[in-house]
Amino acid sequence: MLLSRHQVLARRERDPERLERSAYLLLSRIDTQGPMSIGQLAEAFGLDTSTVNRQTAALLRCGLAERVADPDGGMARKLRITAEGGRRLAGDREVNRSCLARVVADWSPEEVRQLEEALVRLNRSAEALEGRCWPRAEENGPAAP
């Protein structure tokens, strides 16, 4: 929680155009998995569809995502990240990486490797509680630790 707060504060202090946390999470998931319906996003995050609907409406208003026909031919419209959404997501990811690099700057390579292994285990355990695999190998995009 402390690390997350540190990154959020760092983002907003440096650039007020940085993504809100919910926008970052939704765009990250769409970027990883490809176009998703509101129902799929709600299921992925364990949220009510009305909550995700409000959050995705904000993405659409800001031009960070767009509605597209289901690439698999389904009835539901899906959300796809726009070029602007991809640009801003990449910028936020770089800020997050930079913040984390500062946090572990005085750690040894072995300590960084141990942290990586512990985080992978934590992610797998958290997803296993909901019957999901991590990394999400079944998704279209590359899985990220």
Side-chain angles (χ1 to χ4, degrees):
M1 297 295 286
L2 200 63
L3 181 59
S4 177
R5 186 178 70 199
H6 170 70
Q7 289 178 334
V8 168
L9 291 174
R11 280 197 307 254
R12 290 209 182 110
E13 288 171 5
R14 289 192 192 117
D15 186 351
E17 191 178 283
R18 292 291 176 216
L19 297 169
E20 292 292 323
R21 185 175 185 273
S22 63
Y24 181 86
L25 293 172
L26 290 170
L27 290 174
S28 291
R29 187 63 184 247
I30 294 168
D31 186 52
T32 300
Q33 190 165 342
M36 297 179 73
S37 69
I38 289 174
Q40 289 171 319
L41 286 166
E43 182 180 331
F45 289 106
L47 296 172
D48 187 77
T49 55
S50 64
T51 300
V52 176
N53 194 38
R54 284 190 301 277
Q55 293 171 342
T56 57
L59 294 178
L60 293 165
R61 278 193 306 275
C62 294
L64 303 175
E66 61 189 352
R67 290 191 191 279
V68 296
D70 184 344
D72 298 323
M75 297 288 290
R77 306 259 304 154
K78 295 198 173 186
L79 293 155
R80 177 175 63 195
I81 197 169
T82 63
E84 176 67 8
R87 182 189 68 74
R88 291 189 47 196
L89 178 61
D92 273 31
R93 283 179 173 160
E94 186 51 42
V95 169
N96 288 345
R97 285 184 192 103
S98 174
C99 287
L100 185 56
R102 284 197 316 264
V103 170
V104 300
D106 63 343
W107 291 25
S108 71
E110 177 61 17
E111 290 170 320
V112 172
R113 187 192 61 71
Q114 289 172 353
L115 174 63
E116 180 183 3
E117 287 175 0
L119 289 173
V120 166
R121 184 175 178 197
L122 178 71
N123 285 341
R124 284 187 177 137
S125 296
E127 289 289 73
L129 290 174
E130 305 230 343
R132 296 185 177 117
C133 293
W134 193 92
R136 295 178 186 98
E138 74 280 2
E139 295 171 352
N140 298 329

